[in-house]
């Protein structure tokens, strides 16, 4: 027992991504004794994201982060494109309000950003150990009391363990805290970072020195699989990627491989001119939790909490993840701080305050709002092949001036959509999608 007491921390955080850093920083800043364990060579080495940073979530943790964080560009324009194989139909939103400080969101390079965030965690007083894998949770009956690492004498004890070890949380599964991750709840995304001179980026995207553009895409580029593509502007690079549901790859081995989907996206006539001349400087693949509200496991128990991707906290409808990760990490940290201040132990009853805080936050409210969307999209492949093709064909028909009267063109378009209605039920599908986004 003396040995245990000597090595005991107030909290152990497993993982040094956005959620783990948020939890560790929040607790260390309040004076708690915090140990953070990261399996990567350094924080950020195992983390992959587009990446968009939402300012509001980080402001609540580090209010003055803009003064020193490694930020790329603040986003002033959002584009949404629906692609077929040769064209796109899209909408843009650009506002000068987004060009006035304090800025709303930024593009970031995760490896750089996570290193900075980790430095703030250590400045706050947390102890960080990298290149160390947590092999299992230490249990005292049904209670988590610490972790066992892959080092000699690797048993470390704490009042509470915060799991921020990513979408495929091996620790939680091994300890029986939640079941196996279902392939239908996880997307596999691949991305590249392409080096490009700043002035070229600014010219191609019609932006100034610090301004940025985000393009999010869906359509035939995913070959009928549930998924999206993205293109983000950094200072001197572009981030381009595509992600599809793991179950689609798993259930049909004949599907195009993820890296081939990315190559297809890069060669699209609307994308290729934007990335022409870019030199690849990074390639990565990553699992993303996409199951939504119904896939969120139990997130607290006797001596433990789950945050970030480990808990499935991603709002796929709005492509939000980092803000949910940081918010869940902060709320978990604040739960521990409050319990310590009240002299409470880290029982499930005490840590249930974390779930209450989550339910009261935008995190669970947004996930609940879109709770039916994963099922609708997973059972409606026509949203990713037939309808994008029809939409682009309709646009081309109406915008082509060739001596054919518009009334005839309208009949041709309606005929195409009637055909689609027999295949997938256009009106029914539109209603289902409306309900999922209601």
């Amino acid at each position: 027992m003396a040995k245990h007491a000597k090595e005991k921390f107030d909290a152990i955080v497993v993982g040094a991504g956005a959620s783990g850093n948020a939890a560790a920083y929040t607790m260390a800043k309040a004076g708690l004794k915090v140990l953070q364990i990261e399996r990567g060579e350094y924080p950020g080495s195992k983390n992959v994201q587009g990446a968009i940073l939402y300012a509001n979530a980080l402001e609540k943790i580090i209010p003055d982060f803009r003064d020193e964080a490694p930020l790329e560009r603040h986003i002033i324009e959002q584009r949404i494109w629906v692609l077929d194989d040769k064209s796109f139909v899209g909408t843009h939103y650009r506002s000068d309000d987004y060009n006035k400080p304090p800025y709303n969101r930024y593009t970031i390079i995760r490896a750089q950003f996570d290193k900075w965030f980790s430095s703030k965690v250590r400045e706050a007083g947390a102890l960080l150990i990298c290149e160390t894998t947590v092999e299992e949770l230490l249990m005292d009956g049904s209670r988590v009391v610490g972790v066992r690492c892959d080092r000699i004498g690797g048993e470390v004890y704490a009042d509470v363990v915060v799991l921020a070890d990513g979408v495929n949380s091996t620790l939680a599964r091994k300890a029986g805290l939640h079941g196996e991750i279902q392939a239908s709840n996880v997307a596999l995304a691949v991305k590249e970072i392409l080096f490009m001179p700043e002035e070229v980026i600014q010219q191609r995207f019609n932006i100034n020195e610090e301004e940025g553009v985000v393009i999010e895409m869906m359509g035939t580029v995913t070959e009928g699989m549930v998924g999206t593509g993205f293109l983000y502007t950094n200072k001197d690079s572009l981030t381009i990627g595509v992600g599809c549901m793991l179950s689609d790859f798993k259930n049909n081995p004949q599907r195009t491989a993820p890296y081939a989907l990315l190559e297809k996206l890069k060669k699209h006539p609307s994308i290729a001119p934007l990335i022409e001349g870019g030199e690849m400087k990074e390639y990565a693949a990553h699992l993303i939790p996409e199951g939504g509200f119904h896939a969120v496991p139990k997130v607290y128990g006797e001596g433990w909490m789950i945050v970030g991707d480990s808990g499935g906290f991603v709002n796929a409808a709005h492509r939000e993840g980092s803000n949910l990760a940081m918010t869940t990490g902060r709320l978990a940290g604040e739960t521990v701080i409050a319990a310590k201040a009240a002299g409470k132990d880290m029982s499930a009853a005490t840590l249930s305050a974390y779930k209450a805080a989550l339910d009261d936050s935008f995190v669970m409210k947004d996930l609940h709002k879109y709770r039916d969307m994963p099922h609708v999209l997973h059972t409606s492949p026509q949203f990713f092949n037939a309808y994008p093709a029809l939409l682009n064909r309709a646009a081309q028909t109406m915008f082509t001036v060739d001596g054919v009267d518009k009334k005839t063109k309208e009949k041709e378009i309606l005929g195409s959509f009637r055909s689609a209605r027999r295949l997938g039920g256009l009106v029914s599908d539109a209603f289902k999608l409306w309900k999922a986004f209601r």
Side-chain angles (χ1 to χ4, degrees), residues 222-235:
T222 59
E223 299 186 352
M225 291 185 281
V226 178
T228 57
F230 56 87
L231 177 63
Y232 303 154
T233 58
N234 306 314
K235 282 182 180 177

Side-chain angles (χ1 to χ4, degrees), residues 154-167:
E155 293 188 355
V156 190
Y157 293 81
D159 294 327
V160 64
V161 175
V162 179
L163 298 175
D165 53 335
V167 57

Side-chain angles (χ1 to χ4, degrees), residues 14 19-20 23 137 160-167 169 171-173 176-179 181 296-301 303-313 324-325 327-329 331-332 351 354-355 358:
V14 183
S19 62
L137 299 176
V160 64
V161 175
V162 179
L163 298 175
D165 53 335
V167 57
S169 183
L171 291 174
R173 291 203 321 277
L177 306 182
H178 68 60
I181 301 296
V296 175
K298 186 176 181 181
V299 295
Y300 71 95
W304 61 272
M305 289 180 286
I306 293 178
V307 298
D309 282 4
S310 301
F313 295 114
L324 278 70
T327 299
T328 56
L331 293 176
L351 298 181
Y354 169 54
K355 180 59 165 58
L358 281 176

Side-chain angles (χ1 to χ4, degrees), residues 17-188:
S19 62
N21 282 335
Y25 179 88
T26 300
M27 292 185 288
K29 192 73 173 177
L32 273 59
K33 186 180 179 184
V34 179
L35 171 65
Q36 186 178 31
I37 304 173
E38 164 60 32
R39 67 188 177 95
E41 182 181 355
Y42 56 85
S45 64
K46 296 292 185 180
N47 299 321
V48 181
Q49 182 190 357
I52 299 295
L53 172 71
Y54 300 91
N56 177 264
L58 187 55
E59 274 181 326
K60 288 182 166 59
I61 302 167
I62 306 176
D64 58 352
F65 77 91
R66 293 179 179 86
D67 295 339
E68 54 181 289
L71 308 172
E72 294 291 307
R73 294 178 180 270
H74 64 268
I75 305 302
I76 66 163
E77 182 177 319
Q78 172 81 49
R79 305 179 187 177
I80 299 175
W81 290 359
V82 179
L83 304 168
D84 70 359
D85 290 337
K86 297 181 179 180
S87 60
F88 75 88
V89 174
T91 181
H92 295 187
Y93 180 75
R94 182 170 180 140
S95 173
D96 194 49
D97 287 340
Y98 284 146
N99 211 16
K100 299 172 183 176
Y103 302 121
N104 178 262
R105 56 180 174 156
Y106 302 83
T107 53
I108 58 172
I109 305 296
R110 276 296 298 266
Q112 299 172 9
F113 178 81
D114 285 9
K115 281 184 179 180
W116 168 82
F117 202 170
S118 179
S119 72
K120 303 303 291 184
V121 173
R122 284 175 278 130
E123 284 177 16
L127 173 63
L128 171 67
I129 300 178
C130 293
E131 297 185 277
T132 301
T133 299
V134 176
E135 296 182 328
E136 62 180 335
L137 299 176
L138 298 176
M139 309 294 294
D140 183 0
S142 62
R143 188 176 188 127
V144 175
V145 295
V147 301
R148 178 177 290 110
C149 303
D150 61 345
R151 293 190 175 201
I152 297 175
E155 293 188 355
V156 190
Y157 293 81
D159 294 327
V160 64
V161 175
V162 179
L163 298 175
D165 53 335
V167 57
N168 194 22
S169 183
T170 305
L171 291 174
R173 291 203 321 277
K174 286 176 66 174
L177 306 182
H178 68 60
E180 292 289 332
I181 301 296
Q182 300 300 309
S184 58
N185 291 331
V186 181
L188 174 60

